[in-house]
Amino acid sequence: MAETSPTNLKTTPLFERHQAAGGRMVPFGGYSLPVQYPSGIMTEHKWTREQAGLFDVSHMGPSFLVLNNPSGDAEADHAAIAAIIEPMICGDIAGLKPGQVRYTLLLNEKGGIIDDLMVARSPKFAGSLYIVVNAGTKEGDFARIAAAAGDRARFSRADDGALLALQGPEAVGVLASLMPGVVELGFMQYGPYELNGQTVIVSRSGYTGEDGFELLCPAPFANTLWDALLADPRVKPIGLGARDSLRLEAGLPLYGHDLDETVSPIEADLGFAVSRRRREAGDFPGAPRILAERDGKLSRIRVGLIVEGAPAREGAEILDASGAAIGVVTSGGFAPSLGKAIALGFVPPAHASHGSKLQVSVRGRAQPAEVVPTPFVPHRYFRKAKAS
């Protein structure tokens, strides 16, 4: 999980907590973050699947976009703030309900993915959006959003605070013991909650495929919140290594690996992120390419692979049955929940059918691989029952 980064690494408000817990710190996204704790990646992975894992994701890019001159008409003000960000993305933000979070994609003019992000409508304040972008792209993302806002809205960064992720089947029970109201949240909903007189922004979302929450709090309150969560025996701190193996099992793409500015939403198998209203209007960046690809005119698509033998890592060639190179692995590793090697990668549509027998080249040796549905491990998000 380590990546090349400048020597003058940033630290999160929880840096000292990671050191005290024996976290092995590595450079990631310009920050010093724990890749694992003494128990090890395998144990941390399984603990998150069975109990509740606590992650420091303060390197991410939370922010707020707030209308400068609201009219007082809630729907009109929401439409106005949505109109600022929609020209950059492919999601329907105007259609969000109060407190609803939407996964969407920031696109370039050719339909390539600049970043994947979360955009949410405030449950309380009309004309306000909560936006979370990726760490590696946040400076560029923030600049784009601020430029689009102009004098119509105030853009404010919130990455000087702490962002925690509590993930796993016990997450709701743990967090509800501190903030009882969070049980009312469904998957991809958020709101402000109080703890010890401090406001914590809580969204029921995450990057593991498990039920869970992401919590934004002021930096001075970070250690208190971290300690309060870890005081529950169902919670253990989890590092970047297990975060990566969990998201890979969940079939979730990682920006800079599975997604980049050459990859479109359709190629990335993220067609669901191109909202219906936006498709019908064709009013998003790269629409001609994306709509054509949606109709079948594409040359590659992201697939999941079960790999026999050693794990195929990023950059490994994907081969057809005859041994000809047809694609490349973009994420790969061992899946602790399955006891098998798995991978994500791009292949031509003719080789993308589930059950297709392919190969991957690992250290110069071809190993059998099979295209399978993703997620590799079923998602366990909590979805509220619809009112009858």
Side-chain angles (χ1 to χ4, degrees):
M1 282 295 297
E3 62 177 32
T4 301
S5 187
T7 53
N8 54 337
L9 294 173
K10 298 176 183 178
T11 58
T12 76
L14 294 161
F15 179 75
E16 292 180 356
R17 287 296 192 271
H18 301 316
Q19 289 187 313
R24 182 160 71 85
M25 310 304 288
V26 300
F28 187 80
Y31 288 76
S32 179
L33 292 167
V35 68
Q36 66 180 76
Y37 295 90
S39 59
I41 292 172
M42 187 82 70
T43 298
E44 293 173 23
H45 179 111
K46 292 181 176 178
W47 184 271
T48 305
R49 288 272 184 251
E50 297 166 2
Q51 299 282 333
L54 183 59
F55 303 76
D56 179 8
V57 291
S58 304
H59 59 300
M60 300 289 285
S63 62
F64 296 92
L65 187 65
V66 182
L67 205 61
N68 271 333
N69 298 300
S71 68
D73 180 319
E75 292 309 312
D77 289 341
H78 176 64
I81 200 74
I84 293 174
I85 196 161
E86 279 194 352
M88 297 183 284
I89 62 176
C90 56
D92 179 5
I93 304 307
L96 288 178
K97 298 176 181 177
Q100 186 179 6
V101 183
R102 177 150 288 152
Y103 173 84
T104 189
L105 303 166
L106 187 65
L107 301 174
N108 62 29
E109 291 182 359
K110 296 181 179 179
I113 300 172
I114 296 171
D115 197 12
D116 60 338
L117 63 158
M118 297 287 199
V119 180
R121 176 177 175 176
S122 172
K124 292 188 174 183
F125 305 106
S128 176
L129 298 177
Y130 175 42
I131 302 169
V132 183
V133 303
N134 278 305
T137 56
K138 68 180 177 181
E139 297 302 331
D141 292 356
F142 285 165
R144 281 184 172 85
I145 297 169
D151 59 4
R152 291 181 292 170
R154 299 184 307 280
F155 175 74
S156 57
R157 300 173 65 138
D159 59 336
D160 58 348
L163 189 63
L164 283 60
L166 184 68
Q167 301 282 291
E170 297 293 337
V172 63
V174 171
L175 193 57
S177 69
L178 300 174
M179 305 175 210
V182 300
V183 297
E184 300 301 323
L185 292 174
F187 178 57
M188 298 295 273
Q189 293 181 324
Y190 95 103
Y193 293 84
E194 295 294 318
L195 180 64
N196 296 355
Q198 294 286 327
T199 298
V200 180
I201 303 296
V202 181
S203 63
R204 200 160 191 171
S205 56
Y207 196 48
T208 62
E210 295 291 335
D211 183 23
F213 302 86
E214 293 173 309
L215 306 94
L216 177 67
C217 72
F221 191 62
N223 287 342
T224 300
L225 180 58
W226 181 265
D227 293 347
L229 292 167
L230 284 176
D232 192 305
R234 295 170 288 183
V235 182
K236 289 187 184 299
I238 311 295
L240 291 171
R243 186 170 188 254
D244 193 53
S245 58
L246 288 158
R247 73 91 192 169
L248 183 56
E249 286 187 347
L252 301 174
L254 176 62
Y255 195 84
H257 301 263
D258 310 293
L259 309 176
D260 61 37
E261 289 205 43
T262 71
V263 177
S264 77
I266 308 304
E267 290 177 328
D269 196 26
L270 296 174
F272 70 89
V274 185
S275 299
R276 180 178 178 180
R277 177 178 66 82
R278 306 299 305 280
R279 290 199 311 268
E280 292 175 348
D283 61 350
F284 53 89
R289 170 193 176 183
I290 290 169
L291 295 175
E293 288 180 344
R294 191 170 181 272
D295 289 337
K297 297 177 182 178
L298 73 167
S299 60
R300 60 177 179 171
I301 191 164
R302 182 171 66 94
V303 297
L305 299 169
I306 294 287
V307 178
E308 293 185 23
R313 304 294 181 180
E314 181 180 355
E317 284 190 324
I318 301 173
L319 316 172
D320 66 14
S322 69
I326 58 169
V328 65
V329 168
T330 50
S331 288
F334 181 75
S337 303
L338 304 176
K340 300 176 181 178
I342 59 175
L344 300 174
F346 288 85
V347 300
H351 297 279
S353 299
H354 297 158
S356 295
K357 304 296 184 182
L358 303 177
Q359 304 176 85
V360 292
S361 179
V362 180
R363 293 188 290 273
R365 188 182 69 180
Q367 297 179 186
E370 180 180 341
V371 177
V372 298
T374 57
F376 300 98
V377 173
H379 295 164
R380 296 198 286 184
Y381 304 132
F382 174 73
R383 301 185 188 276
K384 296 173 75 171
K386 293 183 179 180
S388 56

PDB file of all heavy atoms in Angstrom, residues 58-91:
ATOM      1  N   SER A  58      -8.346  10.593   7.513  1.00  0.00           N
ATOM      2  CA  SER A  58      -8.285  12.048   7.558  1.00  0.00           C
ATOM      3  C   SER A  58      -7.500  12.647   6.400  1.00  0.00           C
ATOM      4  O   SER A  58      -7.493  13.873   6.225  1.00  0.00           O
ATOM      5  CB  SER A  58      -7.660  12.514   8.881  1.00  0.00           C
ATOM      6  OG  SER A  58      -8.360  11.998   9.992  1.00  0.00           O
ATOM      7  N   HIS A  59      -6.828  11.811   5.611  1.00  0.00           N
ATOM      8  CA  HIS A  59      -6.131  12.307   4.422  1.00  0.00           C
ATOM      9  C   HIS A  59      -7.101  12.638   3.286  1.00  0.00           C
ATOM     10  O   HIS A  59      -6.725  13.305   2.322  1.00  0.00           O
ATOM     11  CB  HIS A  59      -5.113  11.271   3.941  1.00  0.00           C
ATOM     12  CG  HIS A  59      -5.703   9.940   3.581  1.00  0.00           C
ATOM     13  ND1 HIS A  59      -6.401   9.170   4.493  1.00  0.00           N
ATOM     14  CD2 HIS A  59      -5.708   9.235   2.418  1.00  0.00           C
ATOM     15  CE1 HIS A  59      -6.799   8.051   3.905  1.00  0.00           C
ATOM     16  NE2 HIS A  59      -6.397   8.068   2.647  1.00  0.00           N
ATOM     17  N   MET A  60      -8.328  12.157   3.387  1.00  0.00           N
ATOM     18  CA  MET A  60      -9.331  12.417   2.350  1.00  0.00           C
ATOM     19  C   MET A  60      -9.697  13.901   2.314  1.00  0.00           C
ATOM     20  O   MET A  60      -9.208  14.693   3.111  1.00  0.00           O
ATOM     21  CB  MET A  60     -10.574  11.568   2.609  1.00  0.00           C
ATOM     22  CG  MET A  60     -10.317  10.072   2.603  1.00  0.00           C
ATOM     23  SD  MET A  60      -9.967   9.421   0.961  1.00  0.00           S
ATOM     24  CE  MET A  60     -11.607   9.450   0.258  1.00  0.00           C
ATOM     25  N   GLY A  61     -10.580  14.264   1.376  1.00  0.00           N
ATOM     26  CA  GLY A  61     -10.897  15.675   1.172  1.00  0.00           C
ATOM     27  C   GLY A  61     -12.341  16.042   1.440  1.00  0.00           C
ATOM     28  O   GLY A  61     -13.102  16.260   0.484  1.00  0.00           O
ATOM     29  N   PRO A  62     -12.764  16.145   2.695  1.00  0.00           N
ATOM     30  CA  PRO A  62     -14.109  16.640   2.991  1.00  0.00           C
ATOM     31  C   PRO A  62     -14.189  18.149   2.795  1.00  0.00           C
ATOM     32  O   PRO A  62     -13.210  18.871   3.015  1.00  0.00           O
ATOM     33  CB  PRO A  62     -14.314  16.260   4.468  1.00  0.00           C
ATOM     34  CG  PRO A  62     -12.928  16.232   5.031  1.00  0.00           C
ATOM     35  CD  PRO A  62     -12.022  15.785   3.912  1.00  0.00           C
ATOM     36  N   SER A  63     -15.356  18.627   2.387  1.00  0.00           N
ATOM     37  CA  SER A  63     -15.538  20.057   2.135  1.00  0.00           C
ATOM     38  C   SER A  63     -17.023  20.393   2.124  1.00  0.00           C
ATOM     39  O   SER A  63     -17.877  19.492   2.111  1.00  0.00           O
ATOM     40  CB  SER A  63     -14.911  20.439   0.788  1.00  0.00           C
ATOM     41  OG  SER A  63     -15.546  19.749  -0.278  1.00  0.00           O
ATOM     42  N   PHE A  64     -17.310  21.693   2.090  1.00  0.00           N
ATOM     43  CA  PHE A  64     -18.692  22.166   2.046  1.00  0.00           C
ATOM     44  C   PHE A  64     -18.831  23.240   0.976  1.00  0.00           C
ATOM     45  O   PHE A  64     -17.937  24.062   0.779  1.00  0.00           O
ATOM     46  CB  PHE A  64     -19.115  22.729   3.401  1.00  0.00           C
ATOM     47  CG  PHE A  64     -19.140  21.707   4.502  1.00  0.00           C
ATOM     48  CD1 PHE A  64     -18.019  21.494   5.300  1.00  0.00           C
ATOM     49  CD2 PHE A  64     -20.274  20.943   4.730  1.00  0.00           C
ATOM     50  CE1 PHE A  64     -18.034  20.542   6.303  1.00  0.00           C
ATOM     51  CE2 PHE A  64     -20.298  19.992   5.735  1.00  0.00           C
ATOM     52  CZ  PHE A  64     -19.176  19.783   6.521  1.00  0.00           C
ATOM     53  N   LEU A  65     -19.967  23.221   0.287  1.00  0.00           N
ATOM     54  CA  LEU A  65     -20.301  24.234  -0.708  1.00  0.00           C
ATOM     55  C   LEU A  65     -21.643  24.825  -0.300  1.00  0.00           C
ATOM     56  O   LEU A  65     -22.645  24.098  -0.207  1.00  0.00           O
ATOM     57  CB  LEU A  65     -20.386  23.602  -2.101  1.00  0.00           C
ATOM     58  CG  LEU A  65     -20.570  24.547  -3.291  1.00  0.00           C
ATOM     59  CD1 LEU A  65     -19.351  25.448  -3.447  1.00  0.00           C
ATOM     60  CD2 LEU A  65     -20.801  23.750  -4.572  1.00  0.00           C
ATOM     61  N   VAL A  66     -21.663  26.133  -0.031  1.00  0.00           N
ATOM     62  CA  VAL A  66     -22.855  26.778   0.543  1.00  0.00           C
ATOM     63  C   VAL A  66     -23.228  28.001  -0.300  1.00  0.00           C
ATOM     64  O   VAL A  66     -22.385  28.866  -0.568  1.00  0.00           O
ATOM     65  CB  VAL A  66     -22.608  27.207   2.006  1.00  0.00           C
ATOM     66  CG1 VAL A  66     -23.870  27.825   2.600  1.00  0.00           C
ATOM     67  CG2 VAL A  66     -22.158  26.012   2.843  1.00  0.00           C
ATOM     68  N   LEU A  67     -24.489  28.065  -0.680  1.00  0.00           N
ATOM     69  CA  LEU A  67     -25.001  29.158  -1.502  1.00  0.00           C
ATOM     70  C   LEU A  67     -24.822  30.495  -0.787  1.00  0.00           C
ATOM     71  O   LEU A  67     -25.094  30.622   0.410  1.00  0.00           O
ATOM     72  CB  LEU A  67     -26.477  28.905  -1.787  1.00  0.00           C
ATOM     73  CG  LEU A  67     -27.101  29.523  -3.041  1.00  0.00           C
ATOM     74  CD1 LEU A  67     -26.404  29.003  -4.300  1.00  0.00           C
ATOM     75  CD2 LEU A  67     -28.588  29.206  -3.065  1.00  0.00           C
ATOM     76  N   ASN A  68     -24.375  31.507  -1.499  1.00  0.00           N
ATOM     77  CA  ASN A  68     -24.130  32.819  -0.896  1.00  0.00           C
ATOM     78  C   ASN A  68     -25.404  33.585  -0.574  1.00  0.00           C
ATOM     79  O   ASN A  68     -25.528  34.193   0.483  1.00  0.00           O
ATOM     80  CB  ASN A  68     -23.259  33.675  -1.820  1.00  0.00           C
ATOM     81  CG  ASN A  68     -21.782  33.461  -1.561  1.00  0.00           C
ATOM     82  OD1 ASN A  68     -21.391  33.115  -0.455  1.00  0.00           O
ATOM     83  ND2 ASN A  68     -20.963  33.661  -2.586  1.00  0.00           N
ATOM     84  N   ASN A  69     -26.354  33.555  -1.498  1.00  0.00           N
ATOM     85  CA  ASN A  69     -27.562  34.354  -1.304  1.00  0.00           C
ATOM     86  C   ASN A  69     -28.808  33.486  -1.436  1.00  0.00           C
ATOM     87  O   ASN A  69     -29.519  33.554  -2.449  1.00  0.00           O
ATOM     88  CB  ASN A  69     -27.600  35.496  -2.330  1.00  0.00           C
ATOM     89  CG  ASN A  69     -26.440  36.455  -2.169  1.00  0.00           C
ATOM     90  OD1 ASN A  69     -26.274  37.062  -1.117  1.00  0.00           O
ATOM     91  ND2 ASN A  69     -25.619  36.569  -3.217  1.00  0.00           N
ATOM     92  N   PRO A  70     -29.074  32.673  -0.414  1.00  0.00           N
ATOM     93  CA  PRO A  70     -30.244  31.799  -0.497  1.00  0.00           C
ATOM     94  C   PRO A  70     -31.539  32.604  -0.548  1.00  0.00           C
ATOM     95  O   PRO A  70     -31.650  33.677   0.056  1.00  0.00           O
ATOM     96  CB  PRO A  70     -30.155  30.973   0.789  1.00  0.00           C
ATOM     97  CG  PRO A  70     -29.302  31.784   1.714  1.00  0.00           C
ATOM     98  CD  PRO A  70     -28.338  32.513   0.845  1.00  0.00           C
ATOM     99  N   SER A  71     -32.512  32.061  -1.266  1.00  0.00           N
ATOM    100  CA  SER A  71     -33.794  32.747  -1.438  1.00  0.00           C
ATOM    101  C   SER A  71     -34.760  32.459  -0.300  1.00  0.00           C
ATOM    102  O   SER A  71     -35.742  33.174  -0.109  1.00  0.00           O
ATOM    103  CB  SER A  71     -34.427  32.315  -2.761  1.00  0.00           C
ATOM    104  OG  SER A  71     -34.811  30.934  -2.693  1.00  0.00           O
ATOM    105  N   GLY A  72     -34.475  31.361   0.417  1.00  0.00           N
ATOM    106  CA  GLY A  72     -35.402  30.933   1.451  1.00  0.00           C
ATOM    107  C   GLY A  72     -36.340  29.844   0.980  1.00  0.00           C
ATOM    108  O   GLY A  72     -37.017  29.205   1.785  1.00  0.00           O
ATOM    109  N   ASP A  73     -36.392  29.632  -0.326  1.00  0.00           N
ATOM    110  CA  ASP A  73     -37.169  28.528  -0.902  1.00  0.00           C
ATOM    111  C   ASP A  73     -36.235  27.320  -0.974  1.00  0.00           C
ATOM    112  O   ASP A  73     -35.278  27.312  -1.762  1.00  0.00           O
ATOM    113  CB  ASP A  73     -37.661  28.914  -2.293  1.00  0.00           C
ATOM    114  CG  ASP A  73     -38.485  27.815  -2.962  1.00  0.00           C
ATOM    115  OD1 ASP A  73     -38.112  26.629  -2.852  1.00  0.00           O
ATOM    116  OD2 ASP A  73     -39.488  28.145  -3.622  1.00  0.00           O
ATOM    117  N   ALA A  74     -36.482  26.299  -0.139  1.00  0.00           N
ATOM    118  CA  ALA A  74     -35.552  25.180   0.012  1.00  0.00           C
ATOM    119  C   ALA A  74     -35.243  24.493  -1.313  1.00  0.00           C
ATOM    120  O   ALA A  74     -34.072  24.226  -1.630  1.00  0.00           O
ATOM    121  CB  ALA A  74     -36.104  24.171   1.013  1.00  0.00           C
ATOM    122  N   GLU A  75     -36.273  24.203  -2.109  1.00  0.00           N
ATOM    123  CA  GLU A  75     -36.036  23.476  -3.354  1.00  0.00           C
ATOM    124  C   GLU A  75     -35.322  24.346  -4.377  1.00  0.00           C
ATOM    125  O   GLU A  75     -34.452  23.875  -5.116  1.00  0.00           O
ATOM    126  CB  GLU A  75     -37.347  22.934  -3.907  1.00  0.00           C
ATOM    127  CG  GLU A  75     -37.960  21.836  -3.039  1.00  0.00           C
ATOM    128  CD  GLU A  75     -36.971  20.721  -2.714  1.00  0.00           C
ATOM    129  OE1 GLU A  75     -36.296  20.220  -3.644  1.00  0.00           O
ATOM    130  OE2 GLU A  75     -36.851  20.358  -1.526  1.00  0.00           O
ATOM    131  N   ALA A  76     -35.668  25.622  -4.424  1.00  0.00           N
ATOM    132  CA  ALA A  76     -34.991  26.531  -5.352  1.00  0.00           C
ATOM    133  C   ALA A  76     -33.521  26.695  -4.975  1.00  0.00           C
ATOM    134  O   ALA A  76     -32.637  26.723  -5.847  1.00  0.00           O
ATOM    135  CB  ALA A  76     -35.687  27.889  -5.365  1.00  0.00           C
ATOM    136  N   ASP A  77     -33.251  26.785  -3.676  1.00  0.00           N
ATOM    137  CA  ASP A  77     -31.867  26.938  -3.230  1.00  0.00           C
ATOM    138  C   ASP A  77     -31.064  25.664  -3.487  1.00  0.00           C
ATOM    139  O   ASP A  77     -29.883  25.734  -3.862  1.00  0.00           O
ATOM    140  CB  ASP A  77     -31.829  27.300  -1.741  1.00  0.00           C
ATOM    141  CG  ASP A  77     -32.309  28.720  -1.483  1.00  0.00           C
ATOM    142  OD1 ASP A  77     -32.312  29.519  -2.448  1.00  0.00           O
ATOM    143  OD2 ASP A  77     -32.687  29.018  -0.337  1.00  0.00           O
ATOM    144  N   HIS A  78     -31.692  24.505  -3.296  1.00  0.00           N
ATOM    145  CA  HIS A  78     -30.972  23.262  -3.602  1.00  0.00           C
ATOM    146  C   HIS A  78     -30.689  23.162  -5.094  1.00  0.00           C
ATOM    147  O   HIS A  78     -29.591  22.762  -5.505  1.00  0.00           O
ATOM    148  CB  HIS A  78     -31.759  22.039  -3.139  1.00  0.00           C
ATOM    149  CG  HIS A  78     -31.090  20.759  -3.528  1.00  0.00           C
ATOM    150  ND1 HIS A  78     -29.853  20.396  -3.044  1.00  0.00           N
ATOM    151  CD2 HIS A  78     -31.457  19.784  -4.406  1.00  0.00           C
ATOM    152  CE1 HIS A  78     -29.487  19.248  -3.592  1.00  0.00           C
ATOM    153  NE2 HIS A  78     -30.437  18.858  -4.414  1.00  0.00           N
ATOM    154  N   ALA A  79     -31.645  23.535  -5.905  1.00  0.00           N
ATOM    155  CA  ALA A  79     -31.435  23.513  -7.356  1.00  0.00           C
ATOM    156  C   ALA A  79     -30.290  24.443  -7.750  1.00  0.00           C
ATOM    157  O   ALA A  79     -29.479  24.119  -8.635  1.00  0.00           O
ATOM    158  CB  ALA A  79     -32.714  23.914  -8.083  1.00  0.00           C
ATOM    159  N   ALA A  80     -30.187  25.565  -7.071  1.00  0.00           N
ATOM    160  CA  ALA A  80     -29.140  26.538  -7.387  1.00  0.00           C
ATOM    161  C   ALA A  80     -27.756  26.006  -7.032  1.00  0.00           C
ATOM    162  O   ALA A  80     -26.795  26.182  -7.788  1.00  0.00           O
ATOM    163  CB  ALA A  80     -29.407  27.855  -6.664  1.00  0.00           C
ATOM    164  N   ILE A  81     -27.638  25.344  -5.886  1.00  0.00           N
ATOM    165  CA  ILE A  81     -26.329  24.815  -5.491  1.00  0.00           C
ATOM    166  C   ILE A  81     -25.976  23.603  -6.346  1.00  0.00           C
ATOM    167  O   ILE A  81     -24.820  23.394  -6.720  1.00  0.00           O
ATOM    168  CB  ILE A  81     -26.289  24.489  -3.979  1.00  0.00           C
ATOM    169  CG1 ILE A  81     -24.843  24.423  -3.480  1.00  0.00           C
ATOM    170  CG2 ILE A  81     -27.020  23.216  -3.643  1.00  0.00           C
ATOM    171  CD1 ILE A  81     -24.174  25.763  -3.341  1.00  0.00           C
ATOM    172  N   ALA A  82     -26.980  22.790  -6.707  1.00  0.00           N
ATOM    173  CA  ALA A  82     -26.732  21.638  -7.575  1.00  0.00           C
ATOM    174  C   ALA A  82     -26.245  22.088  -8.946  1.00  0.00           C
ATOM    175  O   ALA A  82     -25.395  21.432  -9.572  1.00  0.00           O
ATOM    176  CB  ALA A  82     -27.996  20.798  -7.714  1.00  0.00           C
ATOM    177  N   ALA A  83     -26.759  23.226  -9.413  1.00  0.00           N
ATOM    178  CA  ALA A  83     -26.388  23.727 -10.736  1.00  0.00           C
ATOM    179  C   ALA A  83     -24.924  24.142 -10.808  1.00  0.00           C
ATOM    180  O   ALA A  83     -24.352  24.218 -11.896  1.00  0.00           O
ATOM    181  CB  ALA A  83     -27.274  24.913 -11.100  1.00  0.00           C
ATOM    182  N   ILE A  84     -24.301  24.376  -9.669  1.00  0.00           N
ATOM    183  CA  ILE A  84     -22.882  24.736  -9.654  1.00  0.00           C
ATOM    184  C   ILE A  84     -22.010  23.509  -9.911  1.00  0.00           C
ATOM    185  O   ILE A  84     -21.048  23.558 -10.680  1.00  0.00           O
ATOM    186  CB  ILE A  84     -22.510  25.387  -8.308  1.00  0.00           C
ATOM    187  CG1 ILE A  84     -23.203  26.748  -8.176  1.00  0.00           C
ATOM    188  CG2 ILE A  84     -20.987  25.527  -8.170  1.00  0.00           C
ATOM    189  CD1 ILE A  84     -23.022  27.407  -6.827  1.00  0.00           C
ATOM    190  N   ILE A  85     -22.361  22.392  -9.296  1.00  0.00           N
ATOM    191  CA  ILE A  85     -21.482  21.217  -9.381  1.00  0.00           C
ATOM    192  C   ILE A  85     -21.858  20.250 -10.500  1.00  0.00           C
ATOM    193  O   ILE A  85     -21.010  19.538 -11.035  1.00  0.00           O
ATOM    194  CB  ILE A  85     -21.414  20.487  -8.018  1.00  0.00           C
ATOM    195  CG1 ILE A  85     -20.212  19.534  -8.012  1.00  0.00           C
ATOM    196  CG2 ILE A  85     -22.722  19.765  -7.686  1.00  0.00           C
ATOM    197  CD1 ILE A  85     -19.769  19.113  -6.652  1.00  0.00           C
ATOM    198  N   GLU A  86     -23.110  20.229 -10.900  1.00  0.00           N
ATOM    199  CA  GLU A  86     -23.527  19.247 -11.903  1.00  0.00           C
ATOM    200  C   GLU A  86     -22.781  19.344 -13.233  1.00  0.00           C
ATOM    201  O   GLU A  86     -22.519  18.306 -13.858  1.00  0.00           O
ATOM    202  CB  GLU A  86     -25.041  19.301 -12.126  1.00  0.00           C
ATOM    203  CG  GLU A  86     -25.828  18.552 -11.074  1.00  0.00           C
ATOM    204  CD  GLU A  86     -27.271  18.314 -11.471  1.00  0.00           C
ATOM    205  OE1 GLU A  86     -27.714  18.864 -12.505  1.00  0.00           O
ATOM    206  OE2 GLU A  86     -27.968  17.574 -10.741  1.00  0.00           O
ATOM    207  N   PRO A  87     -22.408  20.524 -13.717  1.00  0.00           N
ATOM    208  CA  PRO A  87     -21.691  20.567 -14.996  1.00  0.00           C
ATOM    209  C   PRO A  87     -20.345  19.839 -14.995  1.00  0.00           C
ATOM    210  O   PRO A  87     -19.795  19.559 -16.060  1.00  0.00           O
ATOM    211  CB  PRO A  87     -21.493  22.074 -15.236  1.00  0.00           C
ATOM    212  CG  PRO A  87     -22.626  22.712 -14.500  1.00  0.00           C
ATOM    213  CD  PRO A  87     -22.782  21.881 -13.269  1.00  0.00           C
ATOM    214  N   MET A  88     -19.822  19.503 -13.810  1.00  0.00           N
ATOM    215  CA  MET A  88     -18.525  18.822 -13.713  1.00  0.00           C
ATOM    216  C   MET A  88     -18.647  17.314 -13.549  1.00  0.00           C
ATOM    217  O   MET A  88     -17.650  16.589 -13.665  1.00  0.00           O
ATOM    218  CB  MET A  88     -17.743  19.384 -12.522  1.00  0.00           C
ATOM    219  CG  MET A  88     -17.395  20.855 -12.647  1.00  0.00           C
ATOM    220  SD  MET A  88     -16.398  21.426 -11.246  1.00  0.00           S
ATOM    221  CE  MET A  88     -17.664  21.549  -9.977  1.00  0.00           C
ATOM    222  N   ILE A  89     -19.854  16.839 -13.229  1.00  0.00           N
ATOM    223  CA  ILE A  89     -20.032  15.442 -12.849  1.00  0.00           C
ATOM    224  C   ILE A  89     -21.173  14.807 -13.648  1.00  0.00           C
ATOM    225  O   ILE A  89     -21.824  15.469 -14.449  1.00  0.00           O
ATOM    226  CB  ILE A  89     -20.340  15.327 -11.336  1.00  0.00           C
ATOM    227  CG1 ILE A  89     -21.652  16.050 -11.003  1.00  0.00           C
ATOM    228  CG2 ILE A  89     -19.188  15.885 -10.504  1.00  0.00           C
ATOM    229  CD1 ILE A  89     -22.102  15.915  -9.568  1.00  0.00           C
ATOM    230  N   CYS A  90     -21.402  13.503 -13.419  1.00  0.00           N
ATOM    231  CA  CYS A  90     -22.455  12.802 -14.153  1.00  0.00           C
ATOM    232  C   CYS A  90     -23.620  12.394 -13.260  1.00  0.00           C
ATOM    233  O   CYS A  90     -24.534  11.692 -13.703  1.00  0.00           O
ATOM    234  CB  CYS A  90     -21.877  11.569 -14.851  1.00  0.00           C
ATOM    235  SG  CYS A  90     -21.029  10.423 -13.746  1.00  0.00           S
ATOM    236  N   GLY A  91     -23.625  12.835 -12.003  1.00  0.00           N
ATOM    237  CA  GLY A  91     -24.673  12.453 -11.073  1.00  0.00           C
ATOM    238  C   GLY A  91     -25.795  13.468 -10.999  1.00  0.00           C
ATOM    239  O   GLY A  91     -25.607  14.657 -11.294  1.00  0.00           O
TER     240      GLY A  91
END
